[in-house]
Amino acid sequence: MVTLLAAPAEPLTNAGDTQLVLAALLGIAAVVLLIAWGKVHPFLALILGAAVLGVVAAVPVDKIVTSFSGGVGSTVGGVGLLIALGAMIGGLLAESGGADGIVERVVGRVSGTALPWAMAGVAALIGLPLFFEVGVVLLVPIVLLVSLRVNVPLIKIGIPALAGLSVLHGLVPPHPGPLVAIDALGANLGQTLALGLLVAIPTVIIAGPVFGNFIARYVPATAPAELLPTRRDTGDRSPTRPGDGRLDADGDLVTEDDLVNPGTGRPGGAIDEPAGRRSRRAPALWAAVVTVLLPVVLMLLRAIGELTLGEDTTGRKALDIVGTPIIALLAGVIFAMIFLGYRSGFSRTQVSGFLGGSLPPIAGILLIVAAGGGFKQVLVDAGVGDLVANAADGANLSPLLLGWLVAVGIRVATGSATVATITAAGIVAPLADTLAAPEVALLALAIGCGSLFFSHVNDAGFWLVKEYFGLTVGQTIKSWSVMETIISVVGFLGVLLLDVFI
């Protein structure tokens, strides 16, 4: 587990409680207003918000810079590597057709009332390594086609797919939000992963198939014809793997021929194959599934070992090594390179291109996460976290409820789940010192649940869903926004239930 730089023993300022509260409120308000009203990128908004917080709290400017830089460095060093490795796994799954193979195999074997449940399960499975937006791009064409072919209401199978992706994105590492909360609170990643999966299963069921069956009656929607996946005529060179109806960066259809001779020169793009065409085949289903589950299983085995094996035993030491998040994800990347890349007929150059192409899309996420780590560190070093912890202790307010409420407020105001997670984790971080390890993991999950509350017009995901499903703003609120709220509330109730038994 990666830990943050230790906060100084003494706060960086002698400001009183009232001034610290005002500083925190103005710092957070600056971030909210800059993002929601000023349309400033969250990376810059978090930097400016940290500056406002520090200045109002009377922290010397040089110490503001030092504190912010320390938070950025520790966050990137811990969380950044995991996000990058997770993105590489997702990139190989997407480009090789492995993710498409999972979707088509499962959906092709079910029909009727089982379809919404199958879509939820598939979305949850491929949502483990894939970012939400990537999962939406991969799943939506399948959802649209299935809706047309079997005459099932679009929302009835679309909501379960979105629920599976959203729940995993908000609650289960290696996604950025959960990783940030784990890092900021000092939670055990293996325990958080295990407890997150326990919370995720009923949450996906209720917010997915159950809610989807209900809301489909009130939100009639048909698949937009212009978004239905099609293939460009390539003569006798037909695609040999699923998913070739995707669009490239220029909006053109990506075909098998594009992968061999793209001629784009874009960083991270597919690479020309000077030696001619290679025999290529869709990766085996088992290889795609193992790629998804291998890092998860390794991290879970480490968590189980911590509970059942002695510290000095050989088995415990081995599990501690292979279950380290960086090693577990690295193992997943190497496995994917071999079985989704080379064994599927892609050259070393092409596999390298897929890996490189998966990194540019996460640059913005990494910068936001890094700046959020700096903002959080200024909060902690100024003494705001201790102030909140003392106030919560005096009011007998549950740390889980406090973390959830703070995340809900920031999420609704900014539309950013990542910003909500970062800010809430920074505010309640001192409370984690008073909790047992399982409760710290639950606190991270409570914050994650709060960060998903009521996505609306200030959230990019809102518009992504609206356009892909051809919905009006009102229909998107009735379906997507309500689904996100159900995920937040049901997930938090699951966290509270686990807290009773742990």
Side-chain angles (χ1 to χ4, degrees):
M1 179 181 63
V2 180
T3 56
L4 289 172
L5 294 178
E10 295 294 332
L12 299 178
T13 177
N14 295 321
D17 291 352
T18 302
Q19 186 175 355
L20 285 177
V21 171
L22 179 63
L25 292 176
L26 289 177
I28 294 172
V31 174
V32 171
L33 289 175
L34 287 170
I35 294 174
W37 178 76
K39 307 304 179 184
V40 175
H41 192 277
F43 172 66
L44 292 176
L46 285 162
I47 294 175
L48 296 173
V52 170
L53 189 157
V55 169
V56 175
V59 178
V61 175
D62 61 328
K63 293 184 178 179
I64 295 175
V65 174
T66 300
S67 177
F68 187 87
S69 300
V72 168
S74 61
T75 302
V76 171
V79 179
L81 290 174
L82 303 184
I83 294 175
L85 290 171
M88 285 183 168
I89 293 176
L92 284 167
L93 275 168
E95 294 295 345
S96 69
D100 295 314
I102 294 174
V103 172
E104 294 183 356
R105 178 68 64 88
V106 175
V107 171
R109 295 191 175 186
V110 298
S111 60
T113 57
L115 265 177
W117 298 86
M119 291 305 304
V122 168
L125 181 61
I126 73 169
L128 279 169
L130 295 180
F131 288 106
F132 175 79
E133 293 81 2
V134 177
V136 169
V137 172
L138 284 174
L139 274 182
V140 164
I142 303 298
V143 170
L144 297 179
L145 283 177
V146 170
S147 175
L148 283 178
R149 289 176 181 174
V150 300
N151 197 28
V152 174
L154 179 60
I155 293 297
K156 188 173 182 178
I157 58 175
I159 286 294
L162 293 173
L165 291 172
S166 183
V167 170
L168 272 294
H169 180 76
L171 298 183
V172 180
H175 290 287
L179 286 176
V180 168
I182 290 167
D183 197 47
L185 301 174
N188 181 289
L189 193 146
Q191 289 183 351
T192 307
L193 174 61
L195 295 173
L197 290 173
L198 287 177
V199 172
I201 292 172
T203 303
V204 169
I205 290 173
I206 295 173
V210 174
F211 175 67
N213 283 330
F214 168 78
I215 199 61
R217 308 171 196 167
Y218 304 99
V219 182
T222 56
E226 64 275 14
L227 293 180
L228 289 173
T230 57
R231 288 191 174 96
R232 184 169 59 194
D233 183 14
T234 57
D236 61 348
R237 292 189 287 187
S238 57
T240 60
R241 61 184 179 89
D244 286 279
R246 293 192 299 273
L247 301 180
D248 66 13
D250 297 323
D252 297 325
L253 287 165
V254 177
T255 66
E256 186 76 3
D257 185 59
D258 294 326
L259 290 175
V260 180
N261 292 297
T264 62
R266 290 191 295 271
I271 308 299
D272 283 345
E273 189 68 38
R277 288 183 63 85
R278 295 167 60 93
S279 175
R280 193 166 302 133
R281 60 184 181 277
L285 178 65
W286 69 265
V289 173
V290 172
T291 296
V292 172
L293 296 181
L294 180 60
V296 176
V297 170
L298 291 177
M299 288 186 281
L300 285 177
L301 287 175
R302 180 187 180 186
I304 294 172
E306 290 174 347
L307 297 174
T308 60
L309 301 176
E311 290 188 11
D312 297 327
T313 61
T314 303
R316 170 69 179 274
K317 292 178 179 178
L319 290 178
D320 283 345
I321 294 174
V322 300
T324 301
I326 290 178
I327 293 179
L329 284 166
L330 182 60
V333 172
I334 294 173
F335 183 90
M337 289 173 62
I338 296 172
F339 290 95
L340 300 185
Y342 309 139
R343 294 285 295 273
S344 294
F346 292 103
S347 69
R348 292 189 298 273
T349 305
Q350 287 175 311
V351 171
S352 177
F354 296 156
L355 293 174
S358 67
L359 296 178
I362 67 170
I365 295 174
L366 287 176
L367 289 173
I368 294 171
V369 168
F375 181 84
K376 184 269 313 172
Q377 198 64 40
V378 175
L379 268 172
V380 172
D381 291 350
V384 175
D386 290 330
L387 181 63
V388 173
N390 294 334
D393 184 58
N396 293 320
L397 187 63
S398 165
L400 300 180
L401 178 60
L402 178 63
W404 184 78
L405 289 174
V406 172
V408 165
I410 303 299
R411 159 68 161 181
V412 173
T414 66
S416 172
T418 303
V419 172
T421 300
I422 292 168
T423 307
I427 289 176
V428 303
L431 296 176
D433 295 334
T434 66
L435 304 175
E439 291 180 296
V440 178
L442 291 178
L443 179 58
L445 294 176
I447 292 172
C449 291
S451 73
L452 298 176
F453 190 89
F454 195 72
S455 163
H456 60 100
V457 295
N458 61 356
D459 178 17
F462 177 92
W463 299 103
L464 183 70
V465 171
K466 174 187 176 299
E467 296 303 319
Y468 264 117
F469 285 86
L471 305 175
T472 65
V473 170
Q475 288 175 326
T476 310
I477 290 175
K478 289 179 184 177
S479 54
W480 162 256
S481 299
V482 174
M483 182 205 77
E484 287 283 87
T485 304
I486 292 173
I487 290 173
S488 179
V489 174
V490 172
F492 181 60
L493 292 176
V495 169
L496 294 178
L497 184 63
L498 287 177
D499 188 45
V500 173
F501 296 99
I502 293 179

